[in-house]
């Protein structure tokens, strides 16, 4: 199994991904500002720090097979694109793949249709975050061809406000929003993590956007 380094390991997506990686036998380095809530577990190494600290990044990624960014797209301190400006060169140096927890706003509502963030239904309060995610995706696309990455967009209704349950069932798409027969695009944190970790364990695409929903 691989050694995975997860930045943003205490967030909603990050914590689920860490749990799924450990459950499937991967060695995990969890990086977060606040590490008090981590219980000791076999295969888990915890590093307190920030992606803005290059010394922390270099220590964390040593020997990594995959580097996971589960970082917010936009904070008062930095952006996901800026974080990738640090993580991508680090990945290149150690030969690691990069997996990014993305956003749903960049997904097209239909083949050839507008992006979700361009529709009237998209909440205006989340536009800045969506734009920051798009910037991050563009940063990945502009990266050196030698760096393998995947950007994994969740369903439109994804987050701690809608945790759902673990079912082990989901669909995987690419750049078009997946919805159910009622037009709802959802996935639980646990099932999103399963899809994300499955892409780590058994890669299906290189330098590409992926998407999971029910």
């Amino acid at each position: 199994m691989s050694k995975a380094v997860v930045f943003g390991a205490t967030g909603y997506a990050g914590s689920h991904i860490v749990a799924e990686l450990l459950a499937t036998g991967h060695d995990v380095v969890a990086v977060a500002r606040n590490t008090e809530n981590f219980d000791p577990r076999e295969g888990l190494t915890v590093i307190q720090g920030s992606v803005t600290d290059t010394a922390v990044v270099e220590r964390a990624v040593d020997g990594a097979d995959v580097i996971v960014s589960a970082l917010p797209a936009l904070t008062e301190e930095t952006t996901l694109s800026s974080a990738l400006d640090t993580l991508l060169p680090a990945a290149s140096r150690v030969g690691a793949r990069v997996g990014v927890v993305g956003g749903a706003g960049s997904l097209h509502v239909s083949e050839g249709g507008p992006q979700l963030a361009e529709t009237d239904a998209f909440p205006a309060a989340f536009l800045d975050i969506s734009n920051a995610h798009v910037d991050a995706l563009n940063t990945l696309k502009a990266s050196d061809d030698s760096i393998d990455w995947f950007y994994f967009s969740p369903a439109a209704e994804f987050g701690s406000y809608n945790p759902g349950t673990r079912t082990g069932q989901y669909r995987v798409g690419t750049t078009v929003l997946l919805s159910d027969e009622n037009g709802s695009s959802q996935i639980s944190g646990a099932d999103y993590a399963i899809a994300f970790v499955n892409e780590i364990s058994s890669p299906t695409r290189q330098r590409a956007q992926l998407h999971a929903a029910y």
Side-chain angles (χ1 to χ4, degrees), residues 3-7 28-32 35 44-67 86-87 90-91 93-94:
K3 178 180 179 180
V5 181
V6 182
F7 289 87
V28 177
V29 178
V31 185
T35 58
L44 175 65
T45 300
V46 177
I47 295 178
Q48 184 176 21
S50 168
V51 71
T52 61
D53 188 331
T54 55
V56 168
V57 172
E58 291 303 315
R59 175 188 168 201
V61 305
D62 183 41
D65 297 298
V66 61
I67 298 170
T86 300
L87 294 180
R93 285 192 293 274
V94 300

Side-chain angles (χ1 to χ4, degrees), residues 35-194:
T35 58
E36 294 178 357
N37 293 328
F38 280 107
D39 295 322
R41 289 187 59 179
E42 183 178 355
L44 175 65
T45 300
V46 177
I47 295 178
Q48 184 176 21
S50 168
V51 71
T52 61
D53 188 331
T54 55
V56 168
V57 172
E58 291 303 315
R59 175 188 168 201
V61 305
D62 183 41
D65 297 298
V66 61
I67 298 170
V68 175
S69 167
L71 297 162
L74 185 63
T75 69
E76 292 183 0
E77 183 179 50
T78 189
T79 65
L80 179 54
S81 183
S82 295
L84 291 175
D85 285 339
T86 300
L87 294 180
L88 289 171
S92 180
R93 285 192 293 274
V94 300
R97 191 180 188 209
V98 176
V100 178
V101 174
S106 61
L107 295 166
H108 295 270
V109 296
S110 61
E111 196 69 46
Q115 291 180 329
L116 181 62
E118 297 172 335
T119 65
D120 293 338
F122 194 82
F126 295 110
L127 278 175
D128 286 346
I129 294 173
S130 179
N131 289 336
H133 267 299
V134 171
D135 288 343
L137 181 55
N138 288 335
T139 295
L140 290 169
K141 291 177 178 178
S143 66
D144 190 281
D145 289 344
S146 64
I147 303 173
D148 186 16
W149 55 265
F150 66 96
Y151 176 95
F152 216 126
S153 293
E157 299 172 53
F158 173 79
S160 58
Y161 68 93
N162 185 30
T165 59
R166 181 188 179 95
T167 69
Q169 304 295 317
Y170 56 86
R171 293 181 291 160
V172 174
T174 54
T175 61
V176 177
L177 182 71
L178 296 173
S179 302
D180 63 19
E181 63 275 9
N182 298 315
S184 177
S185 176
Q186 299 190 46
I187 194 166
S188 70
D191 286 336
Y192 173 80
I194 294 173

Side-chain angles (χ1 to χ4, degrees), residues 15-26 166 190 193-195 197-198:
S15 59
H16 281 290
I17 290 170
V18 167
E20 186 64 23
L21 284 165
L22 290 169
T24 50
H26 297 273
R166 181 188 179 95
I194 294 173
V197 173
N198 280 346

